[in-house]
Amino acid sequence: MSIASQLEALSTNLTAAKNAVTTKGGTVGDTGLAGLASEIATIPSGGSEDWGEVTFKTSAMESPQTVTIGNEDEYNLLTVYNAAHTIGGESFYNSDILSVKLGTSASYAPRNFLRASTNLTTIIGVENIKVVLDDFLYGCSSFNSELDFKNLHSVGTYFMRDCSAFNSTLKLGKITYIAGNFMDGCTSFSKTLTVPSTVNYVDVFFMNNCNNVTSLVVNAPSSNTNLKTSNNTLATTDNTAPIYSTGVTLTGTEASRWKNRFDDRSSSPYRKLILGV
C-alpha cells in the first residue's frame, strides 16, 4: 500500500469519525486525529455518565469480581494492555478481564481498546458505540459473543485482529468506512457477514486468514476506487482451509464488482471467489 493510499485512507476514516461526532451533537474543529478523542467527549450524555462495568478475575482471586467504570479516564485505561490499571478501586490487567458491559456514555472505542484481553469472552452494550479506532479487541483470543453495532460509523485498522475463537454474529450497523486488516486472523469465523450499503470504502487485507468463511454478502462500495485490491483480501495461507478449498460465495448488489476486483490465486495467499445467484 503506497504512502498516498495510506494518507487517503486516514483522511477518509478521520472524516467519517468526525461526522459521527457532529451527528450526535458533539463539536469538532481542525484538530486532525490528535483532537478526535477530546471531540468525542463533547457529545452530550443527556444525563449522568454511565461508562459500564468490568468483570475480572486475577490469579489470586477465588471468584470473579465486577467493578463499575467510574469515569472516562477509567474507561480509557482499558487500552493499557501491557501493565496493570486501577478501575473502580481495583487493580488488574487486561488479561484478567472476563466480560465487559458498556454503558450509554461509551460512544467510542479508543485505540487498543481491550487489546490482549485474552480471557475476555463477552461484551454487551456495543450498540452505544459510534466510532472504533485502531486495534479494537486485538488479540482477544477467547472472545466469542454477538456484536450488533447498531450505530457504528467507522472502524480503524486491525479490527478484531486474531480473535481466533470468534464465531458469533457480527452486524456492522451504519458503517461507512472499513480500514485495513479487518478481522485479520479470525480463523474460526464461519458466519455470513454482510457489508452494508452504507459502506463507501474498504481497505486492504479484508478478512485475511478468516479460514472458515465460505459466504459473504457485499452491498458496497459502489466504485472500484474505494474497494482496494490486495492479494490478502478474502485469502489464506492455508490451502486446506474452507475459505479456499470450498471458496467464498459472493452475493449482494456489489458481488460482481468484488469478484472482478479480486482474482483467484493458486499460490499463497490462496483465494477462491464464487459469484452467487
Side-chain angles (χ1 to χ4, degrees):
M1 187 176 183
S2 68
I3 293 176
S5 296
Q6 292 181 47
L7 290 174
E8 178 187 357
L10 178 61
S11 177
T12 303
N13 195 18
L14 181 60
T15 298
K18 296 213 175 196
N19 287 342
V21 172
T22 56
T23 297
K24 290 300 175 180
T27 302
V28 300
D30 188 17
T31 61
L33 183 61
L36 182 58
S38 60
E39 290 166 350
I40 290 172
T42 68
I43 296 173
S45 63
S48 59
E49 292 187 345
D50 173 17
W51 292 97
E53 299 175 343
V54 177
T55 300
F56 69 98
K57 183 181 181 300
T58 69
S59 58
M61 295 168 56
E62 293 185 1
S63 59
Q65 181 175 347
T66 299
V67 293
T68 298
I69 305 171
N71 51 49
E72 187 174 11
D73 288 340
E74 289 192 348
Y75 176 71
N76 280 291
L77 287 175
L78 293 172
T79 66
V80 180
Y81 60 91
N82 52 5
H85 38 56
T86 300
I87 297 174
E90 300 292 334
S91 182
F92 52 92
Y93 287 81
N94 271 10
S95 58
D96 297 320
I97 297 173
L98 305 178
S99 64
V100 174
K101 178 182 178 181
L102 297 176
T104 55
S105 299
S107 61
Y108 69 100
R111 185 179 182 185
N112 292 319
F113 188 67
L114 292 169
R115 181 170 178 170
S117 298
T118 52
N119 288 299
L120 175 74
T121 61
T122 307
I123 300 175
I124 61 174
V126 296
E127 65 271 13
N128 300 313
I129 295 179
K130 285 83 176 179
V131 178
V132 170
L133 299 184
D134 296 347
D135 303 327
F136 176 78
L137 301 188
Y138 193 127
C140 293
S141 54
S142 299
F143 179 74
N144 189 25
S145 70
E146 178 178 341
L147 294 172
D148 187 355
F149 291 98
K150 298 180 187 297
N151 296 297
L152 186 62
H153 284 264
S154 63
V155 297
T157 57
Y158 297 108
F159 176 86
M160 296 186 69
R161 172 70 183 266
D162 292 337
C163 288
S164 54
F166 181 72
N167 191 27
S168 294
T169 301
L170 173 60
K171 297 180 181 180
L172 295 176
K174 305 171 184 177
I175 192 171
T176 60
Y177 183 93
I178 299 176
N181 296 84
F182 177 87
M183 294 186 74
D184 192 341
C186 290
T187 51
S188 295
F189 188 71
S190 64
K191 306 294 184 184
T192 300
L193 180 74
T194 295
V195 177
S197 59
T198 51
V199 171
N200 57 40
Y201 190 95
V202 177
D203 213 333
V204 296
F205 279 71
F206 176 85
M207 299 188 81
N208 179 52
N209 281 323
C210 287
N211 288 346
N212 282 288
V213 168
T214 57
S215 61
L216 182 69
V217 179
V218 286
N219 294 322
S222 59
S223 73
N224 288 346
T225 302
N226 291 340
L227 180 58
K228 295 300 181 182
T229 55
S230 168
N231 287 343
N232 295 84
T233 288
L234 292 171
T236 181
T237 55
D238 180 1
N239 62 3
T240 68
I243 193 173
Y244 178 69
S245 61
T246 300
V248 180
T249 297
L250 302 171
T251 57
T253 57
E254 299 298 334
S256 294
R257 186 182 308 281
W258 282 65
K259 172 62 176 171
N260 293 334
R261 290 289 280 170
F262 302 108
D263 294 333
D264 290 351
R265 294 181 52 84
S266 58
S267 59
S268 185
Y270 304 93
R271 179 167 57 214
K272 181 193 294 185
L273 302 182
I274 303 162
L275 192 59
V277 295

